[in-house]
Amino acid sequence: MQRDCRLRRGRGFVNLLRMLREPPERVRERAQRLADLVGGEVEETVARAGGGALPLAELPSYACAVEEVLTALLRLGEPPVVGIVRDGRLLLDCRTMTDSEVDEAAAAVAAARS
């Protein structure tokens, strides 16, 4: 079943079950790592599983908050980094990132700031 719950993405696989089952503390560790790399702040948030069988499911999560002005630059970058704007800040939810993607996101933030 776990093999059937993988989504194909541009450069690899995203394990859906990992994202759904991962403890919030682990997500917070990733958010703290990203915040340390980019000078952002960790913010508690809620991730939503999406439509289909789980349209209202909410998962506790953590994001790295950076300046809102980076939104378009990150979205248009390579790789694209997409977050949610809330209260004048861009939140990069770390539940949707793997450990290795934290470094990529940090590099993208640095490139967008330069």
Side-chain angles (χ1 to χ4, degrees):
M1 177 178 175
Q2 186 170 1
R3 186 173 53 200
D4 296 335
C5 291
R6 290 182 182 221
L7 304 174
R8 182 75 175 139
R9 214 170 53 155
R11 295 184 308 158
F13 291 99
V14 174
N15 188 322
L16 178 60
L17 289 179
R18 180 203 51 88
M19 285 191 271
L20 292 172
R21 292 179 177 169
E22 188 168 41
E25 300 78 32
R26 183 73 184 101
V27 178
R28 188 182 196 307
E29 290 170 8
R30 216 168 19 257
Q32 186 63 60
R33 185 166 155 245
L34 181 57
D36 291 344
L37 289 170
V38 302
E41 295 179 13
V42 174
E43 184 169 314
E44 190 171 4
T45 188
V46 175
R48 289 178 175 78
L54 301 169
L56 302 176
E58 294 184 341
L59 302 166
S61 193
Y62 290 89
C64 174
V66 296
E67 52 273 33
E68 181 180 4
V69 70
L70 300 177
T71 304
L73 294 168
L74 288 170
R75 188 175 295 143
L76 296 172
E78 184 56 44
V81 177
V82 179
I84 185 167
V85 174
R86 184 180 306 140
D87 298 326
R89 301 187 314 163
L90 176 63
L91 302 181
L92 305 175
D93 192 333
C94 290
R95 182 171 287 282
T96 61
M97 290 184 202
T98 64
D99 290 335
S100 63
E101 289 172 330
V102 170
D103 293 324
E104 290 181 62
V109 170
R113 285 179 174 154
S114 62

